[in-house]
Amino acid sequence: EDQVTQSPEALRLQEGESSSLNCSYTVSGLRGLFWYRQDPGKGPEFLFTLYSAGEEKEKERLKATLTKKESFLHITAPKPEDSATYLCAVRLYNQGGKLIFGQGTELSVKP
Amino acid sequence: GAVVSQHPSRVICKSGTSVKIECRSLDFQATTMFWYRQFPKQSLMLMATSNEGSKATYEQGVEKDKFLINHASLTLSTLTVTSAHPEDSSFYICSAIYESTDTQYFGPGTRLTVL
């Protein structure tokens, strides 16, 4: 069965304290792995797409990496405005564009 | 670019009534849109895939007659919750595939409350 697991479920950081969020996946035929940010009461906001092992993408304080089994979202020197739930999702071949989501990591950054 | 809108953002209705939610891709055409449901503190649950000009494909356990989906144009998909009951109260989110980048973009969501 195709599965996506995110850890930790919740993460509390002090402002400036760097850390990483993990997304491990067990799927057949990975077409792409996506990271989204979701604020309370809003729809997910697209961050990154990764397609192959070894690929890295960066945007401001965020950096996403991909291996054959997992992806990491590294947050460098986070600020309170980075507080949100971060969702990982995978898209498989021959699934018509459907995404399989992990449960998310709720990040809280305190000043 | 790649903006998806939803209307309404919030709706409150009485039990037994029907509610329609619109999902629009504002600056691109989308042959495929998706409808999700999200409960508090949980991840997104895919309800159905909406394809322009054809019938929607529903996920296992989702009642087709209760959640009617129409994808009448390349920029609009609608979800109608028929004979709504309090257990249908939830956060409904749509998304659309922006084919140029093969990325799924999400709408802002609709909060449905059934009294």
Side-chain angles (χ1 to χ4, degrees):
Chain A
E1 183 184 351
D2 299 316
Q3 273 193 324
V4 180
T5 304
Q6 290 187 246
S7 62
E9 290 185 9
L11 180 62
R12 292 188 175 189
L13 300 174
Q14 288 296 125
E15 184 172 2
E17 180 186 2
S18 302
S19 188
S20 296
L21 283 56
N22 177 265
C23 171
S24 62
Y25 58 92
T26 307
V27 301
S28 53
L30 178 72
R31 177 169 171 173
L33 185 141
F34 300 81
W35 281 99
Y36 291 87
R37 168 191 171 132
Q38 186 176 26
D39 292 298
K42 297 186 177 181
E45 174 191 343
F46 171 71
L47 294 175
F48 303 109
T49 308
L50 301 166
Y51 290 105
S52 56
E55 190 175 0
E56 299 182 351
K57 293 273 181 74
E58 282 189 73
K59 179 181 179 182
E60 296 180 352
R61 294 177 292 281
L62 300 177
K63 178 180 175 181
T65 62
L66 181 66
T67 72
K68 288 186 178 181
K69 295 182 179 180
E70 59 192 347
S71 176
F72 290 94
L73 184 65
H74 307 278
I75 303 178
T76 302
K79 297 182 178 181
E81 53 262 42
D82 294 322
S83 298
T85 295
Y86 290 85
L87 297 167
C88 167
V90 298
R91 180 175 175 180
L92 309 181
Y93 286 104
N94 303 318
Q95 291 289 310
K98 287 165 52 173
L99 294 179
I100 302 172
F101 278 90
Q103 287 301 105
T105 293
E106 186 176 357
L107 174 66
S108 175
V109 182
K110 300 298 183 185
Chain B
V3 178
V4 178
S5 71
Q6 278 183 246
H7 178 79
S9 57
R10 290 178 177 270
V11 57
I12 300 173
C13 68
K14 293 182 178 180
S15 185
T17 60
S18 294
V19 174
K20 180 184 283 188
I21 302 170
E22 293 186 348
C23 176
R24 293 181 185 273
S25 56
L26 297 185
D27 50 0
F28 65 101
Q29 294 184 329
T31 54
T32 306
M33 291 183 173
F34 301 88
W35 286 96
Y36 296 82
R37 187 172 178 175
Q38 187 175 35
F39 292 103
K41 299 291 185 181
Q42 293 189 23
S43 193
L44 282 71
M45 182 190 80
L46 180 64
M47 300 174 65
T49 303
S50 171
N51 293 296
E52 188 268 337
S54 63
K55 290 185 178 181
T57 303
Y58 291 82
E59 294 300 301
Q60 192 171 8
V62 177
E63 298 177 61
K64 300 178 183 181
D65 295 331
K66 177 146 197 73
F67 299 101
L68 300 179
I69 292 172
N70 187 308
H71 195 152
S73 78
L74 288 172
T75 59
L76 174 65
S77 176
T78 60
L79 168 69
T80 301
V81 183
T82 62
S83 186
H85 288 95
E87 57 265 31
D88 298 323
S89 298
S90 190
F91 191 52
Y92 292 88
I93 310 173
C94 73
S95 69
I97 293 181
Y98 182 47
E99 295 181 3
S100 296
T101 59
D102 199 30
T103 300
Q104 202 169 127
Y105 288 90
F106 287 82
T110 297
R111 173 75 58 193
L112 171 63
T113 303
V114 184
L115 303 176

